[in-house]
Amino acid sequence: MARTITRDEEQISTKTGRLDFSPASDGSDLHPGTVTVTIHTGPDSPSTGLHWHEAHTEHLHIVQGCALVTVGDHTAVFTKDDGVITIPRLVLHEVRRADHVEQGKAWKDTDLVMREWTEPADGDKAIFFRNIMSLIKDEKKTLLGMISTGLSIVVVARAHDNYPVIWKGPGVFGKGFQQTVRRYLTFSIMAAVGFVGRLVGCRSKYEEYTPRRT
């Protein structure tokens, strides 16, 4: 399929949000590889879904609006006054707008803007975001197009340390066993789907979407 060339774009937008890869205009961005994420208002605003990272500690800072953030077993509303949220590797987390909870209703007409960066600062976050957002922009609204995009997203996510929770696992045997089951299930399904994706030409990153320096 023909792909839009976005590799040199400082911003990539869809109808539900925007990614900004340029340094913050106010000079407050002190962390290499920071990506500014905007989630627009409206009923179709996306969530990250519950997921984890094997090799990266993630940091979030809300710049504008209000976010409902889950880290491990704790869920809370965050604004810019709450400072940096640190998410250690292997810890489940999810970020979304907070419109549907009482504390977030005052922000329902305000775009959610947050900055994200990782340790190590290896640029993997930006590569992931660039490829995922560009795949969504280029998706053909046909059954085949949606299947192709879905397969591509799995291949990209698996290659860039993003693992969705498919099932939390049985909690009755303790958190260690639960985590083992959860990881095994996600790894197995992503490996199988990724194998199919590779067979039909999906890649971990696309030349049209990824800056040549990375």
Side-chain angles (χ1 to χ4, degrees):
M1 63 175 274
R3 301 188 187 279
T4 305
I5 297 176
T6 60
R7 60 178 172 244
D8 297 320
E9 299 295 326
E10 293 293 345
Q11 290 187 350
I12 303 176
S13 300
T14 68
K15 66 178 183 179
T16 58
R18 180 177 68 251
L19 299 175
D20 193 331
F21 303 95
S22 58
S25 58
D26 61 4
S28 61
D29 179 5
L30 303 177
H31 306 281
T34 297
V35 179
T36 302
V37 180
T38 300
I39 301 178
H40 296 320
T41 60
D44 298 326
S45 62
S47 159
T48 64
L50 202 59
H51 66 289
W52 79 91
H53 310 293
E54 289 281 313
H56 295 81
T57 292
E58 187 169 75
H59 303 282
L60 306 175
H61 184 219
I62 308 303
V63 177
Q64 174 184 289
C66 186
L68 187 67
V69 182
T70 296
V71 180
D73 296 326
H74 181 66
T75 299
V77 170
F78 288 85
T79 67
K80 65 180 181 180
D81 297 326
D82 294 307
V84 174
I85 307 160
T86 296
I87 305 162
R89 54 183 290 272
L90 302 177
V91 173
L92 303 186
H93 57 285
E94 180 177 14
V95 183
R96 53 182 157 168
R97 294 183 58 87
D99 303 359
H100 60 292
V101 299
E102 192 61 37
Q103 293 169 275
K105 288 181 179 178
W107 302 92
K108 67 182 180 64
D109 296 321
T110 302
D111 284 349
L112 171 61
V113 181
M114 53 192 173
R115 294 188 183 129
E116 298 191 22
W117 64 96
T118 64
E119 295 176 32
D122 53 11
D124 216 34
K125 171 68 73 175
I127 295 173
F128 168 77
F129 271 144
R130 281 183 174 278
N131 280 266
I132 292 294
M133 192 72 127
S134 298
L135 283 166
I136 292 170
K137 282 177 65 72
D138 280 346
E139 181 183 59
K140 295 187 181 301
K141 303 305 179 183
T142 63
L143 178 59
L144 187 60
M146 289 186 287
I147 291 173
S148 175
T149 298
L151 289 172
S152 293
I153 286 174
V154 170
V155 171
V156 170
R158 184 166 178 254
H160 298 288
D161 197 26
N162 282 263
Y163 298 95
V165 173
I166 297 169
W167 180 45
K168 280 192 173 183
V172 67
F173 299 114
K175 289 190 175 182
F177 182 78
Q178 184 183 38
Q179 183 186 64
T180 298
V181 171
R182 178 170 61 240
R183 292 173 74 206
Y184 178 80
L185 182 64
T186 292
F187 291 163
S188 298
I189 292 176
M190 290 188 80
V193 174
F195 177 74
V196 174
R198 293 282 191 176
L199 285 179
V200 299
C202 299
R203 287 172 276 170
S204 61
K205 59 183 179 180
Y206 293 87
E207 180 182 354
E208 296 90 341
Y209 304 154
T210 308
R212 291 191 173 99
R213 64 181 179 275
T214 60

